[in-house]
Amino acid sequence: MWGRGELGRVGLRVGLDDPEGLVQPELLNDLLSEFTDIMNEIWANEAVKSAVLISSKPGSFIAGADLDMIEACKTSQEVSQLSQEGQKMLEKIEQSPKPIVAAISGSCLGGGLELAIACHYRIATKEKKTVLATPEVLLGLLPGAGGTQRLPKMVGLPAAFDVMLTGRNIRADRAKKMGLVDQLVDPLGPGVKSPEARTIEYLEEVAINFARGLANKTVSAKRSKGLMQKLTDYAMAVPFVRQQVYKTVENKVQKQTKGLYPAPLKIIETVKAGLDQGRDAGYLAESQNFGQLAVTKESKALLGLYRGQVYCKKNKFGTPQREVKTLAVLGAGLMGAGIAQVSVDKGLKTILKDTAQQGLDRGQQQVFKGLNSKVKKKSLTSFERDSILSNLTGQLDYKGFEKADMVIEAVFEDINIKHRVLKEVEAVIPAHCVFASNTSALPISQIAAVSKRPEKVIGMHYFSPVDRMQLLEIITTDKTSQDTAASAVAVGLKQGKVVIVVKVRERSTKPGWDYTQKAGHPRIYQHFLGTFAEQFPGGVLTRAGIILPGLALPTFCAGFTCSSILRSPYRLFPCSCTEEDIQMRLVTRFVNEAAMCLQEGILSSPVEGDIGAVFGLGFPPCLGGPFRYVDSYGAKQLVDKLRKYEAVYGSQFTPCQLLLDYANNPSKKFHQ
């Protein structure tokens, strides 16, 4: 933040950003204290007529509030107090007799956006990295520093609900159209300094000039609203119309969340309080609801998932010896083309090989459509799309593979075909090249069995559609080298994936399996039933999913809703039990298998188990993953349920030793 006047230039770093661009500043108490001191100095010094808030951190204005402070609170009242302190500070900004201008470049999220909209004017750089959002709902929270009260007045009720209930990022140009930003600054090209440095200096110069103009009253901060906005504001002033909007939004939220997530409904309730009962009631509702949400199990689960994503966006194997610059993908089908798309999109030179021209054409067209959809959404220009596509080479032979740093095969799930392409590839690739398989049904150790260099073979299991699913599951064998694992993780992170790493373990009766396969990914149910017949006796594949004695497993089990199973004419056994009982049979089996994966060393940590289950298998995010669910529900209570079902349905409900250990020691938790 810069104060301009005879006082001179007072600097304050107001934003600290984690690698993922969400909420994680450090030493927030010190920051708030310093911020307050400088603002008081500005207000007290008659030489300072106006001020500009600008971040000294590249790529970030302010990325939010401190999660640690929220989680350190023991009661909802303590969290509410934090909210009230934030409200008071931003109210002083809003009521400042000296104009305050926010100069935004990079992430302006959560509390950062609340600060920006409390200012008298907002100027933002028109570039990709500048995004505005209220991601609190994704963490089971709501904007707690006045955001629920200011946003509806600034952008209108419907747009405010869209911003707060989705948590989606808003580009600077869209923010300008909706009234969230007042002025845009085009980024500058290279000069004596870097483009980024020049753009920040230009933004600062524009902001200072405007702040000076506001102080001199030569410019006005008043925004002229368009006809549609005026009509919307007029309609929203009618209580009956507002009630209809509330009702419509509430119904949509209930339909989408099934009532499993309290934050969206609390956001509606808080906005409603402010508009219908007045300002004081709105701010009180905001702080109280913020406190109540922070201590819910749903918020704790979502916060845990956020921290898990941060954990999984780091390469625990270190920096690979050689950076992967050229990637080759075998198979131009749905998965292969998807892998190629997310690779070229991040600047990797990519070869896409298929065995037939028709398949290759279809794959290249899929990549084009995927990138062109971004052009239609205006997140890419047609020039940028074509520039990205120039990194993609489609071919029917192995030309250029001698320069490949990594090859990812996405061919048909047949072990003989996998073995054939592995041998063909090893005949042409350089010694350092990594061979990765995208298999979702075959053990990596079995694929690697024919390799001349098994230390360079690894599994990279993407999820469909590749460009939309965040998870990448990397599978190592006992022979996979650490550098190979480091290369695979590095590529996944460059592709923008959340990466978990699992290890194949051999059993005495059945081959080891990676985590999402073992837990029952829908794509490989038939193979799953054959491989794990001893663990899941009597199971068959039906249109509804897998039906097992004592267990109904829907094809997509998000939320563990079982009504489709209860209605299914394909179930094997008459079911007179309650839906809740079926849900518990499903979740206990799921959790038991996850715990067994950790026990056997397939998973290296509960964190990766939770991330894999939520992002790869549809485990409900509101439960935080199987291991966080055990902590919340109680290991002893879960084991008691398993024992009850074991007595009725048999050994497939026998709790694993790890769960028994945790049940016998109440102080043990998977997440501390």
Side-chain angles (χ1 to χ4, degrees), residues 462-528:
Y462 294 83
F463 294 75
S464 182
V466 180
D467 61 321
R468 292 173 60 190
M469 297 293 281
Q470 296 182 59
L471 187 69
L472 169 62
E473 181 186 40
I474 290 176
I475 308 107
T476 65
T477 72
D478 289 334
K479 296 180 179 178
T480 304
S481 72
Q482 180 169 323
D483 186 61
T484 296
S487 293
V489 173
V491 167
L493 294 178
K494 187 164 188 176
Q495 292 168 334
K497 297 298 181 183
V498 176
V499 180
I500 66 170
V501 182
V502 298
K503 190 172 182 65
V504 169
R505 295 289 187 188
E506 298 298 332
R507 287 185 176 181
S508 58
T509 54
K510 293 292 176 184
W513 216 247
D514 68 86
Y515 177 53
T516 58
Q517 291 166 334
K518 186 173 184 295
H521 191 274
R523 294 174 56 198
I524 46 88
Y525 279 154
Q526 198 67 62
H527 205 128
F528 170 87

Side-chain angles (χ1 to χ4, degrees), residues 626-637:
F627 296 101
R628 195 164 292 277
Y629 177 77
V630 174
D631 288 346
S632 173
Y633 188 79
K636 186 179 186 305
Q637 289 83 348

Side-chain angles (χ1 to χ4, degrees), residues 295-594:
V295 296
T296 61
K297 64 180 186 299
E298 291 84 4
S299 180
K300 292 182 185 300
L302 294 171
L303 284 167
L305 286 175
Y306 165 69
R307 293 195 184 282
Q309 289 179 73
V310 174
Y311 174 84
C312 291
K313 290 218 169 191
K314 296 173 183 175
N315 195 335
K316 63 183 179 183
F317 296 99
T319 304
Q321 294 173 12
R322 298 182 67 143
E323 180 185 357
V324 173
K325 295 181 178 178
T326 300
L327 175 72
V329 181
L330 296 178
L334 182 68
M335 296 303 294
I339 295 167
Q341 180 186 326
V342 299
S343 301
V344 293
D345 197 20
K346 296 300 188 294
L348 278 171
K349 185 177 180 181
T350 304
I351 300 170
L352 181 61
K353 180 192 178 300
D354 203 85
T355 56
Q357 188 63 51
Q358 184 179 11
L360 181 61
D361 292 343
R362 189 163 49 242
Q364 289 179 297
Q365 186 63 23
Q366 180 185 323
V367 176
F368 175 84
K369 285 182 178 179
L371 294 172
N372 198 50
S373 66
K374 294 186 177 183
V375 176
K376 292 178 180 178
K377 295 174 184 175
K378 297 185 178 179
S379 59
L380 273 184
T381 65
S382 56
F383 175 80
E384 288 170 330
R385 175 202 62 202
D386 295 342
S387 177
I388 291 169
L389 283 170
S390 69
N391 283 322
L392 180 67
T393 303
Q395 59 191 52
L396 301 177
D397 55 24
Y398 287 107
K399 181 182 178 182
F401 273 59
E402 69 277 1
K403 296 179 181 178
D405 301 304
M406 177 180 285
V407 175
I408 303 177
E409 69 81 7
V411 301
F412 190 70
E413 294 285 54
D414 181 291
I415 191 63
N416 294 320
I417 297 176
K418 304 279 191 189
H419 282 170
R420 177 169 56 81
V421 297
L422 174 53
K423 291 176 181 177
E424 290 175 357
V425 166
E426 287 192 334
V428 293
I429 57 175
H432 72 273
C433 184
V434 172
F435 181 90
S437 173
N438 179 54
T439 183
S440 60
L442 300 170
I444 297 302
S445 55
Q446 190 177 342
I447 294 172
V450 300
S451 173
K452 295 177 181 177
R453 4 157 273 158
E455 73 281 359
K456 289 289 184 182
V457 179
I458 198 167
M460 293 179 72
H461 180 200
Y462 294 83
F463 294 75
S464 182
V466 180
D467 61 321
R468 292 173 60 190
M469 297 293 281
Q470 296 182 59
L471 187 69
L472 169 62
E473 181 186 40
I474 290 176
I475 308 107
T476 65
T477 72
D478 289 334
K479 296 180 179 178
T480 304
S481 72
Q482 180 169 323
D483 186 61
T484 296
S487 293
V489 173
V491 167
L493 294 178
K494 187 164 188 176
Q495 292 168 334
K497 297 298 181 183
V498 176
V499 180
I500 66 170
V501 182
V502 298
K503 190 172 182 65
V504 169
R505 295 289 187 188
E506 298 298 332
R507 287 185 176 181
S508 58
T509 54
K510 293 292 176 184
W513 216 247
D514 68 86
Y515 177 53
T516 58
Q517 291 166 334
K518 186 173 184 295
H521 191 274
R523 294 174 56 198
I524 46 88
Y525 279 154
Q526 198 67 62
H527 205 128
F528 170 87
L529 288 172
T531 303
F532 295 101
E534 294 173 6
Q535 289 171 265
F536 299 94
V540 298
L541 186 65
T542 76
R543 294 184 190 179
I546 297 179
I547 307 298
L548 305 164
L551 172 66
L553 179 57
T555 303
F556 293 98
C557 53
F560 298 122
T561 55
C562 305
S563 57
S564 62
I565 296 295
L566 293 171
R567 294 194 305 268
S568 172
Y570 302 97
R571 63 180 183 269
L572 292 183
F573 54 91
C575 187
S576 58
C577 44
T578 65
E579 183 167 327
E580 181 182 2
D581 190 53
I582 294 179
Q583 289 172 338
M584 282 308 299
R585 294 211 306 274
L586 170 60
V587 74
T588 53
R589 287 288 297 281
F590 193 115
V591 170
N592 197 35
E593 286 298 316

Side-chain angles (χ1 to χ4, degrees), residues 157 235-247 275-276:
L157 185 60
M236 291 305 111
V238 180
F240 173 76
V241 176
R242 285 204 307 274
Q243 295 305 318
Q244 294 306 306
V245 172
Y246 299 148
K247 185 177 179 181
L275 292 178
D276 294 355

Side-chain angles (χ1 to χ4, degrees), residues 1 4 12-13 55 97 116 126 140 220 249 316 319 334 372 397 465 592 634:
M1 182 199 73
R4 282 282 193 172
L12 168 64
R13 184 178 180 180
S55 173
K126 188 181 177 182
S220 172
V249 174
K316 63 183 179 183
T319 304
L334 182 68
N372 198 50
D397 55 24
N592 197 35

